[in-house]
Amino acid sequence: MKNAVKTTLAVVAGATAVAGVASIPAIVSAWGDSAGGRPTYSVQEINEKMSDFGNTPLFNSIEIKDSDYDWYKTNFGEELTKGNLRHEKNFVGARENTGVNAGPNNVWDGNNITAEDGKTYLVRLYAHNNNSNSVAENTTVRFQDANNVASTLETVKLEDENGYETGETKQMQQVQINGFITSSNANPNEYWDYVNFNADVPFHLEYVYGSALLENNGAAAGKLSDDIITNGTLIGYDALDGKVPGCYQYANYVSIQVKVVYDYDFTIEKKVRLAGEKEWKESVDAKVGDKVEFQIKYTNTSDKQQDNVVIKDILPSNLRYVAGSTKIKNSNHPNGDTLDHDYLVTDGQKVGNYGPGANVRLMFTAEVVDDNLACGKNTLVNWAQAGVGDTTIQDEARVVLAKTCDTTPETPKTGETPTALPTTGPEAVAGGVIATGAIVTAAGYYIASRRQLR
């Protein structure tokens, strides 16, 4: 396993470096977990052993020692930049995408990062050909498990605020993103490093398409293909041709963005009844002028607390909300208290925090009206949505009614055949699913209940 160090992946500029070691496996972990491992060199060592390495590229093999700074100044007459990337094997890191780029002062976590729901993170891979006498060919980079991979429960070694292990462990949900560097003439040909995303709640990461970026000093810097999360994509200096010369001035920084989505486990149930009745149903028959009552029930079915739960109702046309009719029933309101506002049918109603197995019910009244009813049978679909963090699910209940229209056809003249049969009107399904404000917008029209939205 790799050392617990927090890194900024900053460039250590100006050093000359070489690489190439015999008998290293073709595909290895950056940290030498495979048989044979990978050696590391100080800046002084890799320069003094230049003649031993030939022209074979070797990526990310420098471990800067304190003595390197004096040695470098003595031999090259200038300061060796004191970046925090002292160990190049720790070449995959992540940080929250705050929108602020501090350049070399960006702080990247190279080991474990806390994954917060709804936040976007930058994941970056550092690729440095250490051999100044070589050009790496067909150099490809790839991120694995960066998109829609479910977290697994793992034992995580806890770290202090400086990124060092404390000796304590904790069971946490984890997604490990692996970064790969491949080169056809390097030794080894392929190796990888990783960064772990951890949370107390099951989650997955969503890759932000179009976010792959190459940063270096050459003409090839810019956007990369989204193939970076599948088969990989070529990088380069003058062009995206896979050619990476050796030395720090040709170092590459490859980044992608991922969004954390907590996979909360909860349910929502929508029911309806005619005003005055006792039994809640999936669907009721009604007529214009009737009042109907709706009930929305959220339940936390996980073993974790869920905070800041929001519920929203989306009434279709021909169902008119009765102002001031929303009631809430939970442990804090056991008698079903009336709310003093109507956020439920506008921006969404915040209903608080709920532990495992806890639930809340919201009830309100609507009146059946005729704003644009079609002739014949109408099914009015009323959707309810529950949102926890960045996850939203929904369910629906229905009000069915008929509108009678005068559709008697004109009596045909003797000897004529009618050109159309009488009609009782088409069935109209009227329902809105566009949620605004506190809950994620529902995308499309969903008949299946509890369809999860993103």
Side-chain angles (χ1 to χ4, degrees):
M1 299 296 290
K2 62 183 182 180
N3 300 331
V5 292
K6 183 170 285 188
T7 126
T8 61
L9 299 185
V11 178
V12 184
T16 303
V18 299
V21 178
S23 72
I24 299 176
I27 302 176
V28 301
S29 161
W31 292 89
D33 293 334
S34 301
R38 292 181 63 231
T40 57
Y41 307 94
S42 68
V43 175
Q44 179 179 354
E45 288 171 338
I46 207 164
N47 277 273
E48 291 179 345
K49 295 181 179 180
M50 182 179 298
S51 59
D52 296 339
F53 303 119
N55 60 358
T56 300
L58 181 65
F59 283 89
N60 299 9
S61 297
I62 292 177
E63 181 179 4
I64 298 176
K65 297 181 178 179
D66 291 338
S67 59
D68 281 335
Y69 296 102
D70 290 337
W71 179 89
Y72 189 84
K73 186 175 182 179
T74 299
N75 285 272
F76 294 95
E78 59 185 52
E79 297 287 342
L80 178 63
T81 303
K82 293 188 177 181
N84 285 350
L85 184 63
R86 295 178 64 100
H87 205 320
E88 287 187 343
K89 286 186 177 183
N90 199 8
F91 66 84
V92 175
R95 68 178 178 90
E96 183 184 345
N97 183 14
T98 62
V100 177
N101 186 354
N105 294 320
N106 287 328
V107 177
W108 300 81
D109 196 319
N111 306 291
N112 292 288
I113 190 164
T114 300
E116 298 185 45
D117 189 32
K119 286 189 176 181
T120 300
Y121 295 82
L122 290 160
V123 182
R124 192 164 72 167
L125 177 153
Y126 171 74
H128 171 211
N129 177 4
N130 301 142
N131 189 350
S132 60
N133 293 327
S134 70
V135 175
E137 300 287 346
N138 303 307
T139 308
T140 300
V141 294
R142 174 170 61 94
F143 288 101
Q144 181 176 294
D145 297 337
N147 190 43
N148 289 325
V149 174
S151 62
T152 57
L153 192 62
E154 304 290 344
T155 300
V156 177
K157 294 181 179 180
L158 299 183
E159 301 171 356
D160 62 21
E161 60 183 8
N162 296 313
Y164 291 94
E165 294 176 358
T166 64
E168 299 178 338
T169 61
K170 181 181 179 181
Q171 290 289 104
M172 299 187 74
Q173 294 288 329
Q174 183 178 97
V175 173
Q176 180 174 293
I177 293 183
N178 295 284
F180 290 80
I181 302 173
T182 303
S183 170
S184 60
N185 65 328
N187 187 9
N189 297 128
E190 181 177 71
Y191 60 99
W192 72 91
D193 186 32
Y194 59 87
V195 63
N196 293 322
F197 284 76
N198 304 307
D200 290 324
V201 176
F203 71 99
H204 67 275
L205 301 174
E206 292 182 350
Y207 169 67
V208 178
Y209 283 89
S211 67
L213 182 68
L214 170 64
E215 295 175 280
N216 61 23
N217 294 320
K223 291 287 187 180
L224 292 174
S225 168
D226 290 326
D227 290 342
I228 196 169
I229 63 168
T230 53
N231 298 321
T233 186
L234 289 171
I235 59 172
Y237 188 76
D238 295 320
L240 296 178
D241 55 7
K243 298 181 183 297
V244 176
C247 204
Y248 276 113
Q249 71 188 77
Y250 303 107
N252 299 272
Y253 300 86
V254 180
S255 62
I256 61 171
Q257 297 181 35
V258 294
K259 182 179 180 181
V260 175
V261 180
Y262 280 11
D263 296 322
Y264 291 104
D265 191 3
F266 61 99
T267 62
I268 183 172
E269 181 182 72
K270 184 69 175 285
K271 298 288 187 181
V272 64
R273 67 187 180 188
L274 291 174
E277 293 187 351
K278 293 184 178 181
E279 183 182 357
W280 293 104
K281 302 177 180 178
E282 301 282 348
S283 177
V284 296
D285 294 325
K287 60 183 183 298
V288 173
D290 284 347
K291 289 186 176 179
V292 292
E293 297 172 340
F294 290 97
Q295 175 180 266
I296 306 166
K297 180 182 178 182
Y298 151 89
T299 303
N300 178 356
T301 56
S302 75
D303 60 356
K304 304 288 184 182
Q305 176 161 305
Q306 297 177 358
D307 295 334
N308 303 315
V309 178
V310 180
I311 296 177
K312 180 178 174 63
D313 191 272
I314 306 101
L315 279 168
S317 58
N318 302 302
L319 282 178
R320 185 176 299 162
Y321 174 75
V322 176
S325 65
T326 301
K327 296 182 179 182
I328 184 171
K329 188 173 184 178
N330 58 15
S331 59
N332 293 326
H333 304 276
N335 297 319
D337 297 330
T338 301
L339 298 176
D340 57 3
H341 44 69
D342 298 323
Y343 297 154
L344 176 66
V345 293
T346 55
D347 294 330
Q349 175 65 50
K350 295 180 180 180
V351 294
N353 309 327
Y354 294 85
N359 64 67
V360 61
R361 289 179 173 86
L362 292 175
M363 292 78 68
F364 69 93
T365 303
E367 182 181 359
V368 182
V369 297
D370 185 358
D371 287 336
N372 55 3
L373 289 171
C375 296
K377 183 179 180 181
N378 290 261
T379 301
L380 311 181
V381 182
N382 181 209
W383 289 96
Q385 297 177 327
V388 181
D390 218 37
T391 300
T392 302
I393 59 176
Q394 63 183 12
D395 195 16
E396 45 89 2
R398 302 183 175 205
V399 176
V400 181
L401 68 157
K403 178 177 180 179
T404 302
C405 300
D406 184 7
T407 57
T408 303
E410 184 176 325
T411 302
K413 297 178 182 179
T414 303
E416 290 185 355
T417 300
T419 57
L421 297 175
T423 178
T424 59
E427 177 179 71
V429 178
V433 292
I434 299 179
T436 59
I439 291 185
V440 179
T441 300
Y445 185 80
Y446 295 86
I447 296 300
S449 65
R450 301 206 301 266
R451 171 94 176 244
Q452 183 165 311
L453 308 179
R454 287 282 178 258

